[in-house]
Every structure is written in C-alpha cells, then in structure tokens.
Amino acid sequence: MTTSTVTAPAAARPPRTATVPDPARQRRRRRLTQWGFVAPAVVFMLLFFGYPLVRNVVMSFQHYTPKTFFTGDAPFNGTDNWSHVFRDALFGKALWHTLVFTAGSLLGQFCIGLALAVFFNRRFPLNGVLRSLILLPWLVPMVVSGIVWRRILDQDTGVLNSFLDTLGLGGHTPWLTSPDMALFAVILVNVWIGIPFNMVILYGGLQEIPKDLYEAAALDGASAWRTFRSITLPMLRPVITVVLVLGFMSTVKILDLILALTDGGPADATQTLGTLTYQNSFVQLDFGAGAVAGNVLILISAVFAVFYLRANRTEGK
C-alpha cells in the first residue's frame, strides 16, 4: 500500500506595494544636480573676477609699492590714495575724456552701423561680399589698427593729409599732435573699429522682423521714414539695448587703442580712466593710485549696469 504525501501550499506572499518617492529627497537631489551644473561657473567667477575685484579694492587703501611684491608688507594708509587721486587735476580731465570718448564712439558706431544694416537688409548683387569686407576692421587686432591709423593720420607723411592736399582741402592737419584734435581723431578711429560689430548685430535683428509688417505699411501708404520709425525701431529695441550695453562695456575701459595712437597725449588730451590706471600702476608704479582709478572705472560700469537692468525690468512689466 502506497502513501502519497500532499505538500501544503506555500503561504501566499503579500502583493508588493509601490514605494512612494520622498518629495523632499527629490527636491534635494534636483537642487544638488542644479548646483552641480552651476558650481563650475561660480568657482570661475569667484577666482577670476571676484578675487581680483576685492583685491583691487583692498589695494586702493594700501601703500603698495614694487617692494611689496617681495616683502608682502603693504600697510593700510586709509583714504590717502583716494584723496591723492581726486585732488589731481589729471583725474578730472581723464574722467571727462572718458565720458566724451565713450559717448562719441557709441553714437558714431551705432548710427553708421544701423544705416549699413538697413542698407544691407535689401537684396542686391555682391551683398554678401561687401558685408564680409566691412567686417575686416573688426577682425584686426586693436593694437594693429592703432598702429596703422597712426601712420594714416601722421601730419607730415600720412595718407589722409596727402589725400586732402590733393583735393585742395589742406593737408597739414595735426590729427594726433594737436590737443584740440587728438581726442576727436581717436574717437573717429574707434568708430571705424566698432562699426562692423554694430552692423552685424543690428542686421541680425532686422532679419527677424516679419516682412508682413512692411507689406502692410506699404499698402497703407506709409513713407519710408514712417515705416522705419513705427516698425523698424520698435522691433529692434531689444537688439539696440544689447548693442549699446556691449558697446559701452568695451568702450569705457579701452586702453590699447589709445596707447597705440597717442599714449594719452599730447598734453594729456587723450588721457582716460583706462590710460590713467595704466600710467599710475605700471609707469609710475603707484599701485594704490592705479587701483583707485580702476575702482572708479568699475563703479561707472556698475552704475550703468544697474540702470540697464532696471530699464529692462520696467520694460518687461
């Protein structure tokens, strides 16, 4: 007689319940991921922008000399550097020249760049070739442009005076040697250098304006000036803001062009805050005074940036 054994059924396992993710943990993980992407940029900004800025501010309150590089001894002298720089008559002249140079350069670059952008916005033969040629001044290094223009504007052997003499307009203009003409000549050279940048950015903005708007304006009988004023300028406003801000930032601190053209002369007629910082720090080796002039230049840029951000915020609302 055989006996059969019946195995008892295994105990039924309870069904698995889906684990609900912890919202707090997800938020922490997402935040850590975000900081992981941002951290390299923050470290870069702190090392290459934050530290030099703080160090420059501290240096403006120290008696910093070439000996300090070896001894590390730079005693604080309070506001002596600031009072010394502000009492110097050259500082006032440099500040005024900086404002005139920046305003004149921005005005000339923007107006000519906008005119060229509107001109090239139409289709005609050799459009692309001409636009490429206009970009050449932008591609040449600033120092090279300054040296070339110094030869062109030379009073005795310059090409410009020779050309004016051929036309009977007088060929002995002291472009770079007269205190009354030097700043004007430097502004003209900087305008020539900055035109391509303004033209390229504004031309890109014009390409984004819908053509339907111009067709509707033409059907309504609007003149070219009315179309430009009512359609082109309002639609270009964001691009214009970017062009002016970038142009200001690159122009207000310009140094290499002025050094190549006039070295701040004649008779300090082209001395700006940028050249004054260079002269104090690396010619006279007065690093404290150079830091003061540099801080003033940074402060001007910061004030402009604040007005720009507030204007954009107001415009966005």
Side-chain angles (χ1 to χ4, degrees):
M1 182 177 181
T2 60
T3 59
S4 60
T5 58
V6 180
T7 57
R13 296 180 179 177
R16 291 185 178 181
T17 57
T19 57
V20 179
D22 185 7
R25 177 179 293 182
Q26 284 187 333
R27 285 196 299 268
R28 286 196 299 269
R29 185 176 300 174
R30 190 181 303 113
R31 189 170 299 173
L32 287 175
T33 304
Q34 294 171 350
W35 274 107
F37 285 105
V38 174
V42 173
V43 172
F44 177 84
M45 295 291 291
L46 290 177
L47 287 178
F48 295 98
F49 292 94
Y51 173 75
L53 179 61
V54 174
R55 193 70 190 88
N56 195 67
V57 173
V58 174
M59 190 184 298
S60 66
F61 295 97
Q62 292 178 312
H63 180 63
Y64 209 96
T65 64
K67 184 179 178 181
T68 304
F69 288 102
F70 302 97
T71 63
D73 184 21
F76 283 87
N77 57 2
T79 58
D80 290 350
N81 294 329
W82 292 81
S83 60
H84 170 71
V85 171
F86 288 160
R87 289 175 183 173
D88 189 1
L90 183 58
F91 174 78
K93 293 176 63 175
L95 179 60
W96 172 248
H97 294 161
T98 301
L99 298 177
V100 173
F101 175 78
T102 303
S105 298
L106 288 181
L107 182 63
Q109 293 172 359
F110 174 76
C111 292
I112 300 177
L114 180 59
L116 289 175
V118 173
F119 174 75
F120 285 111
N121 196 36
R122 303 175 299 171
R123 291 187 177 182
F124 57 88
L126 300 179
N127 185 309
V129 175
L130 293 176
R131 278 190 288 118
S132 301
L133 293 176
I134 292 179
L135 287 178
L136 290 178
W138 191 27
L139 303 177
V140 177
M142 190 80 74
V143 175
V144 176
S145 298
I147 294 174
V148 171
W149 273 99
R150 188 169 185 170
R151 296 293 183 88
I152 294 174
L153 298 176
D154 188 86
Q155 181 177 357
D156 299 322
T157 61
V159 176
L160 181 57
N161 277 342
S162 299
F163 177 71
L164 294 177
D165 191 27
T166 303
L167 297 179
L169 300 177
H172 302 284
T173 304
W175 297 102
L176 300 177
T177 56
S178 170
D180 298 328
M181 292 290 299
L183 185 60
F184 174 73
V186 173
I187 291 175
L188 287 182
V189 175
N190 193 49
V191 168
W192 176 81
I193 293 173
I195 286 174
F197 171 78
N198 284 258
M199 185 200 71
V200 168
I201 303 299
L202 294 171
Y203 176 80
L206 288 174
Q207 294 293 306
E208 298 298 325
I209 300 178
K211 305 300 180 184
D212 299 342
L213 298 178
Y214 293 109
E215 295 175 359
L219 291 176
D220 290 341
S223 62
W225 170 246
R226 180 62 184 272
T227 302
F228 177 78
R229 188 182 61 182
S230 302
I231 297 177
T232 304
L233 282 182
M235 297 295 291
L236 273 182
R237 187 172 300 170
V239 181
I240 291 174
T241 303
V242 172
V243 168
L244 292 179
V245 170
L246 295 179
F248 177 86
M249 294 300 180
S250 63
T251 303
V252 72
K253 61 182 179 60
I254 202 165
L255 171 65
D256 42 5
L257 178 65
I258 298 178
L259 290 181
L261 284 171
T262 62
D263 197 21
D268 297 321
T270 57
Q271 198 80 255
T272 62
L273 289 179
T275 59
L276 183 63
T277 303
Y278 172 80
Q279 294 285 344
N280 287 337
S281 298
F282 301 107
V283 177
Q284 301 178 11
L285 300 181
D286 189 352
F287 299 102
V292 172
N295 287 330
V296 173
L297 194 57
I298 294 172
L299 183 61
I300 293 175
S301 301
V303 170
F304 184 83
V306 169
F307 278 111
Y308 163 69
L309 293 175
R310 293 191 62 179
N312 271 4
R313 188 178 305 171
T314 305
E315 187 175 315
K317 293 179 180 179

